[in-house]
Amino acid sequence: GWWGLLLAAIGLGFAFRLYEIGSLPFGAWFDEAQNGIVARRILDDSSYRPVFVGGLTQLPALFFYVFAIALKIIGHGVLALRSVTTASGILTLFVVYLLARELFDHRVAVLATFFLAVMRWHVNFSRFAMHGIFAPLFMVATFYFLARALKGKGPWNFFLAGGGLSSRIFERQ
């Protein structure tokens, strides 16, 4: 029964995040458009390879390279940009399940996944092409690998936890 509930929670998460993702919310918001402009410049200008994007953006550049790849694969438009953050939101559901299962049990993990799948704020920001949705993904992944490392499940977990933590530190600077 719990596996069925997990599939239902993941299905709800997919449905809430993917429903008319190309047209809802309406139009492109300022930050989404600005992110698309930076990503397009990365594609169009071979001399433009920023580490940090200044100006109106004021963000580390790694996340714009992912947007640029999406623009190249899917095409220029808000759907390409939103697909990146939607994928991040969906991936967070799986990582929350793993973390909750590592810390508690399968039942708690399914419930945690369900709650995140229907959480209004997480669904909302999974549907906008803005960088904030990456924070929950990296934080949950960091805690997952740290929990595994502290339980003695391999020293490489410390390395992965440090990688997740450093991604959050560099994003703040």
Side-chain angles (χ1 to χ4, degrees):
W2 286 104
W3 287 109
L5 290 175
L6 176 62
L7 288 175
I10 298 291
L12 274 174
F14 270 85
F16 285 174
R17 285 159 182 79
L18 293 174
Y19 177 73
E20 294 188 16
I21 190 66
S23 60
L24 290 176
F26 298 113
W29 293 56
F30 177 82
D31 287 349
E32 290 180 303
Q34 181 65 29
N35 294 341
I37 289 168
V38 172
R40 187 161 184 165
R41 183 172 175 202
I42 289 170
L43 286 176
D44 294 342
D45 184 357
S46 62
S47 66
Y48 183 66
R49 295 295 177 259
V51 174
F52 184 85
V53 179
L56 295 174
T57 303
Q58 298 294 317
L59 291 171
L62 181 59
F63 135 90
F64 295 102
Y65 289 98
V66 179
F67 276 157
I69 292 168
L71 288 176
K72 189 169 184 99
I73 293 171
I74 299 172
H76 296 282
V78 72
L79 177 62
L81 300 173
R82 288 179 181 171
S83 66
V84 171
T85 52
T86 300
S88 174
I90 290 171
L91 186 57
T92 305
L93 294 173
F94 292 101
V95 183
V96 161
Y97 171 79
L98 293 174
L99 174 63
R101 183 152 185 197
E102 189 67 37
L103 294 176
F104 303 103
D105 61 12
H106 181 65
R107 183 181 59 207
V108 172
V110 170
L111 290 172
T113 305
F114 172 77
F115 288 136
L116 185 64
V118 299
M119 187 178 292
R120 181 174 53 166
W121 285 99
H122 196 266
V123 170
N124 182 50
F125 287 108
S126 294
R127 296 178 60 87
F128 282 98
M130 295 184 231
H131 79 290
I133 196 63
F134 291 100
L137 174 61
F138 285 114
M139 284 189 262
V140 172
T142 298
F143 288 127
Y144 169 70
F145 289 117
L146 182 61
R148 288 180 55 80
L150 293 174
K151 287 183 174 183
K153 294 186 176 179
W156 58 274
N157 285 296
F158 281 114
F159 176 76
L160 293 171
L165 181 61
S166 66
S167 69
R168 295 300 307 148
I169 290 170
F170 289 122
E171 187 173 319
R172 294 281 183 213
Q173 294 179 354

